[in-house]
Amino acid sequence: EKMGIIMGGIATGIMRPLLTLTDIIQFFIGLAFALLPAAYIVLTKGTKPLTRLDQLYNFLSKFPFGGALFSLMVGIASPYNASVRARFLKVEKDECKACIQDRPWLRNPFASVHAIALANLAEMTSAVGLLTAAQYEKGLRVIPVKVECEYHKKVRGQVTATAKYTLPADKKDAIIPYTVLLHDTKGELVATGVVHWKLSYKENAKKD
């Protein structure tokens, strides 16, 4: 077991700088293939501004490395979440999906993905999803106030998180729990995250 920890540390020391370099390369390739054509299209064809996260993701995904670029942009906006190197697979008004790969620095002493890495993935997937949904509601502010995670089994390899959500129709301020399901490559449920979000509407604040 000690040998496994030592080897994991060596692998981390070698792989992490290489993967960081890969991120940098993907970032600039993404800029070339996605943002530059995007600017051209906007300037020449009058495309509507990409004001929502789902618009931005769907637009960038049309270009090589565009999905990776979106994920890197999320990591820049939230550096702590970037530590798990998540890749977004779907960003929509009512659903968000992201995954992480099994990396040496994301493991625990038992050679499986660390519990906090799974909680991190769950929170980030829920955050991008709720922020996207909130962009459809004028004057809505969403803030996470509590994060829970239940672990069902050890997991190795890729982990995919799926968050589905619906905003209440009454537009009342509330704290609502939204569930995130995490599955392994076999489709087995490995963890369940619950992120409690405080929903606040500006129009309600004016009434007070």
Side-chain angles (χ1 to χ4, degrees):
E1 186 173 307
K2 290 183 178 180
M3 182 58 68
I5 295 175
I6 294 173
M7 294 302 295
I10 294 174
T12 297
I14 296 173
M15 291 177 61
R16 198 158 192 175
L18 292 175
L19 289 171
T20 300
L21 179 60
T22 301
D23 276 347
I24 295 173
I25 293 172
Q26 287 184 343
F27 180 80
F28 284 105
I29 292 177
L31 282 176
F33 279 101
L35 293 189
L36 295 181
Y40 172 79
I41 292 172
V42 170
L43 291 173
T44 60
K45 298 185 179 180
T47 302
K48 294 182 180 179
L50 304 175
T51 56
R52 297 194 310 267
L53 290 173
D54 56 343
Q55 289 179 321
L56 180 60
Y57 174 81
N58 290 328
F59 184 83
L60 292 178
S61 296
K62 298 176 182 178
F63 303 98
F65 299 101
L69 176 61
F70 177 87
S71 301
L72 290 170
M73 292 171 67
V74 172
I76 292 172
S78 182
Y80 176 75
N81 290 122
S83 64
V84 298
R85 298 173 55 84
R87 288 290 179 264
F88 285 86
L89 307 174
K90 177 186 288 188
V91 180
E92 295 182 355
K93 180 181 178 180
D94 56 0
E95 183 178 2
C96 185
K97 184 177 292 187
C99 70
I100 59 173
Q101 301 298 326
D102 189 347
R103 308 293 188 188
W105 57 87
L106 297 183
R107 287 195 162 196
N108 55 32
F110 308 104
S112 59
V113 179
H114 200 287
I116 298 303
L118 298 177
N120 192 333
L121 174 63
E123 189 275 336
M124 178 165 46
T125 305
S126 182
V128 171
L130 260 294
L131 288 172
T132 300
Q135 291 175 332
Y136 282 85
E137 295 287 340
K138 185 177 180 180
L140 174 60
R141 183 185 183 188
V142 294
I143 301 175
V145 295
K146 184 179 181 181
V147 179
E148 301 172 299
C149 203
E150 181 180 358
Y151 305 98
H152 308 300
K153 58 177 293 187
K154 291 182 181 179
V155 59
R156 299 181 179 89
Q158 179 176 297
V159 182
T160 301
T162 303
K164 295 183 179 181
Y165 35 83
T166 301
L167 297 178
D170 58 13
K171 294 188 177 182
K172 292 182 178 180
D173 294 353
I175 296 178
I176 301 177
Y178 288 100
T179 300
V180 185
L181 302 179
L182 286 77
H183 295 87
D184 61 15
T185 55
K186 298 179 181 179
E188 297 180 357
L189 184 66
V190 297
T192 301
V194 179
V195 184
H196 299 252
W197 288 87
K198 181 179 180 180
L199 278 59
S200 305
Y201 289 86
K202 286 185 178 180
E203 58 185 51
N204 294 336
K206 292 179 181 180
K207 294 178 182 178
D208 297 336

